[in-house]
Amino acid sequence: MQSISKLEKSLEIFPDNHNAMVVLASALNAKAFLQHDPEVAKQLFDRSKTNFQKALELDPGNTRYRQLLDAMENAPQLHAQVVAQLQAQGQLGGGGGGGGKGVPGDDDWIYDWLGWGILITGGIALVAALNAKGGAA
């Protein structure tokens, strides 16, 4: 993803920008949920968690960062559930013989993954925003 590489370049220039770290961590998290390979997803989740931790170190009083970091604890298990669900529905490749190319609907799993990634990332952000708003009142 081009956005991830641009955020990483931004952090090379401004290494203490905790806001960019959180955005990068969120992008890595979303990308992880788009992976069907659990090892690739785990690497992305680990990178995401590292960025959330660094952001929290730079802004230790930020409750939103703490909530996002805490939510990362469940991300690999949630990813595994999503993958299992898609495999059960037959939407993730797990074999089969190369047929079906050009058949309408074969790429529907991409949209499912994108939807799950957006839903999960949005849910985490919403919970964090609501808690931050509640903490400020």
Side-chain angles (χ1 to χ4, degrees), residues 26-127:
S26 297
L28 290 166
N29 189 40
K31 185 176 180 181
F33 275 101
L34 296 174
Q35 307 302 313
H36 68 275
D37 182 346
E39 285 304 313
V40 173
K42 182 184 180 322
Q43 291 172 0
L44 290 166
F45 285 134
D46 289 346
R47 287 177 56 198
S48 177
K49 187 174 180 179
T50 298
N51 279 284
F52 280 132
Q53 287 170 331
K54 287 179 186 175
L56 188 59
E57 288 171 11
L58 291 170
D59 189 3
N62 193 316
T63 57
R64 187 184 78 147
Y65 295 173
R66 165 62 56 202
Q67 292 162 347
L68 291 168
L69 179 59
D70 290 345
M72 286 301 303
E73 295 301 320
N74 297 324
Q77 293 85 2
L78 188 55
H79 175 265
Q81 290 174 354
V82 171
V83 169
Q85 176 83 22
L86 290 174
Q87 286 175 337
Q89 294 175 357
Q91 293 181 359
L92 265 185
K101 287 197 176 200
V103 176
D106 270 357
D107 60 351
D108 285 347
W109 68 271
I110 294 171
Y111 299 106
D112 288 339
W113 275 102
L114 286 172
W116 277 108
I118 292 168
L119 177 67
I120 291 165
T121 302
I124 291 170
L126 178 63
V127 168

